[in-house]
């Protein structure tokens, strides 16, 4: 049967002589792999459908759990994301979250909407590290791994001094921390509290220093890397910014 879905192309890999396998993140079907037949040919009309960050209305032929590309109506290319290296790695961090930490075939409309809002904010020139931090905080919440930046996850007490405790996989106060926990700077905590749930449209009004953003993103990086797998694009982003 044929299905139609709005989707974002996350990456594409060469397959056979003239084909590509396109990893899409779609509204109705979540993360799916689509076979793009013949789109590596120079004359292929649908070559754009495999471009990273192409957002479009994809028409697919579905047989069992396999999808084949039929047509695509491009809604947004997001090509400008590739014109600046820092912005590009910010977008790659968003894409890597979807590739690494979402389930194949599982629709998550809120994640889909958050992704498009984050990419649009990057296109609109909002500070890339601010956008990525805002996205990661919400993404973790939607996946059920929200980091609480206003209180200890163990005793529940509010604390101005928090520690990242990887043994517990959360932020804790001084009294509850284990010996190998590490302090989180108060300014990083404040930045995360401010960004948590803030509409993307208001991010451009913020003016965090790069040091604050890097501190906060380092906490997220260590937390995600310990609990799941490293976000390599995020590491590159903070090194470049």
């Amino acid at each position: 049967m044929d299905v139609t879905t709005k989707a974002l192309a996350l990456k594409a890999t060469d397959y056979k002589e003239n084909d590509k396998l396109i990893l899409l993140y779609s509204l109705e079907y979540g993360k799916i792999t689509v076979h793009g037949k013949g789109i590596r040919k120079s004359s292929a009309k649908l070559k754009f459908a495999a471009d990273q960050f192409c957002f479009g209305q994809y028409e697919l032929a579905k047989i069992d759990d396999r999808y084949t590309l039929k047509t695509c109506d491009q809604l947004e290319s997001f090509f400008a994301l590739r014109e600046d290296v820092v912005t590009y790695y910010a977008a790659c961090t968003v894409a890597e979250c979807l590739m690494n930490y979402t389930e194949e075939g599982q629709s998550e409309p809120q994640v889909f909407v958050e992704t498009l809002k984050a990419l649009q904010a990057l296109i609109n020139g909002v500070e890339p590290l601010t956008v990525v931090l805002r996205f990661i905080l919400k993404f973790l919440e939607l996946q059920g791994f929200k980091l609480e930046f206003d209180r200890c996850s163990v005793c529940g007490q509010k604390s101005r001094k928090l520690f990242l405790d990887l043994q517990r996989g959360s932020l804790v106060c001084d009294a509850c921390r284990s010996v190998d926990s590490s302090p989180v700077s108060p300014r990083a905590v404040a930045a995360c509290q401010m960004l948590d749930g803030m509409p993307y449209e208001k991010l451009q009004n913020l003016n965090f220093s790069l040091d604050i953003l890097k501190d906060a993103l380092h906490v997220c990086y260590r937390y995600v890397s310990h609990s799941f797998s490293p976000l390599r694009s995020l590491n590159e982003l903070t090194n470049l910014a």
Side-chain angles (χ1 to χ4, degrees), residues 12-32:
T13 54
D14 291 346
Y15 181 66
K16 295 184 177 179
E17 185 176 354
N18 293 307
D19 303 351
K20 280 184 180 289
L21 295 178
I22 312 164
L23 185 63
L24 298 180
Y25 194 77
S26 65
L27 177 60
E28 289 86 358
Y29 308 102
K31 185 172 62 179
I32 55 175

Side-chain angles (χ1 to χ4, degrees), residues 35-61:
H35 184 187
K37 293 183 177 180
I39 61 174
R40 290 170 59 194
K41 295 179 179 179
S42 58
S43 59
K45 294 181 179 179
L46 291 176
K47 186 177 292 188
F48 69 89
D51 289 343
Q52 189 180 28
F53 305 122
C54 173
F55 174 57
Q57 186 89 3
Y58 286 78
E59 184 179 350
L60 312 170

Side-chain angles (χ1 to χ4, degrees), residues 1-12:
M1 67 175 181
D2 292 349
V3 297
T4 302
T5 183
K6 288 185 172 65
L8 178 75
L10 301 179
K11 71 172 184 178

Side-chain angles (χ1 to χ4, degrees), residues 151-219:
R151 64 184 69 245
C152 174
S153 67
V154 176
C155 67
Q157 295 295 314
K158 290 190 175 183
S159 175
R160 297 180 63 184
K161 190 174 184 181
L162 293 173
F163 297 79
L164 178 62
D165 193 324
L166 295 179
Q167 286 188 13
R168 294 187 171 94
S170 61
L171 297 174
V172 299
C173 67
D174 193 16
C176 296
R177 70 187 182 102
S178 60
V179 292
D180 62 347
S181 59
S182 56
V184 180
S185 70
R187 59 184 189 172
V189 170
C192 291
Q193 288 176 330
M194 186 177 297
L195 281 172
D196 190 17
M198 177 176 285
Y200 284 93
E201 297 77 19
K202 295 185 178 181
L203 295 184
Q204 59 188 356
N205 299 325
L206 302 178
N207 190 27
F208 296 119
S209 71
L210 282 179
D211 286 342
I212 292 175
L213 292 169
K214 287 183 177 183
D215 282 350
L217 285 169
H218 182 63
V219 173

Side-chain angles (χ1 to χ4, degrees), residues 31-35 61-68 104-105:
K31 185 172 62 179
I32 55 175
T33 299
V34 173
H35 184 187
K62 184 175 186 290
I63 301 176
D64 297 326
D65 292 328
R66 293 174 296 174
Y67 296 88
T68 301
E104 191 90 15

